[in-house]
Amino acid sequence: MPETTLTRCVRELRRDFGALVSRGAAAGLVAGSGFMLANMWYADANGKPPIAPFLAISTVFHGSKAPILTPEAIPAEVVTGLWLHLALSLAFGMGFAILAAPLRSASAVVAASLGYGLALFILNFEILGRTVIPWFTNPKGPDNVFEGFIHPLIFGLLLAPFFLGRGGRHAGETG
């Protein structure tokens, strides 16, 4: 009986799972770092402090309607936002690794990475932002138009290089 695409993907996932998830973790850290640098630049260019993105992300941890901005709380909130963003970037990178495992062409990986970044924006801002993270849709909060562009164009596209060139045979595999 010939092997189906699904069977092949499951077999390869089981064999390569650790390497794949490690690659995803590294991709998530790189993509998340580039994404955060873009957010910091945008905040600064628009008259907000460069730490504003970390303060916005800390609202996810606390479930608060706005960042905690007392002078004594700001350093801890920045660290909270940084660690939460790193953890989410790792998780999202690992998630993309699993989803991208069956993809064999560069164009498929790039298209998937753009779609994945857009899906993250929709989940984080349009769904969660309108239900459980009100700061994400607050007019004083993050700029949703900017976020809608950089989720796919920065986070998504920075994931792609980590998964390009995986379409060939694995070392030691024959016919």
Side-chain angles (χ1 to χ4, degrees):
M1 178 187 270
E3 182 178 57
T4 65
T5 302
L6 179 61
T7 305
R8 179 183 49 80
C9 288
V10 169
R11 180 178 45 80
E12 288 180 15
L13 254 178
R14 284 196 337 226
R15 184 185 62 219
D16 297 336
F17 190 75
L20 189 63
V21 171
S22 296
R23 183 183 299 254
L29 284 178
V30 169
S33 296
F35 177 85
M36 188 49 67
L37 288 171
N39 260 298
M40 293 170 69
W41 166 82
Y42 188 79
D44 188 54
N46 285 281
K48 293 181 180 179
I51 61 170
F54 296 112
L55 296 171
I57 293 167
S58 72
T59 65
V60 174
F61 181 80
H62 296 296
S64 57
K65 293 180 190 267
I68 301 168
L69 298 176
T70 61
E72 58 277 351
I74 287 177
E77 294 306 300
V78 169
V79 171
T80 299
L82 170 66
W83 280 107
L84 183 57
H85 191 266
L86 288 174
L88 290 171
S89 294
L90 279 167
F92 291 147
M94 290 185 285
F96 181 74
I98 293 166
L99 293 172
L103 303 177
R104 296 293 177 230
S105 71
S107 59
V109 170
V110 170
S113 70
L114 286 167
Y116 190 73
L118 183 60
L120 289 178
F121 166 74
I122 291 168
L123 173 67
N124 293 335
F125 283 81
E126 298 303 320
I127 297 172
L128 296 176
R130 296 183 188 284
T131 57
V132 294
I133 311 170
W135 184 248
F136 281 18
T137 53
N138 185 312
K140 294 180 182 177
D143 181 333
N144 282 4
V145 173
F146 179 72
E147 294 293 337
F149 281 108
I150 69 165
H151 272 80
L153 296 177
I154 302 290
F155 188 83
L157 284 180
L158 285 176
L159 292 172
F162 288 83
F163 303 96
L164 296 175
R166 296 190 68 247
R169 294 197 183 277
H170 296 277
E173 229 182 274
T174 60

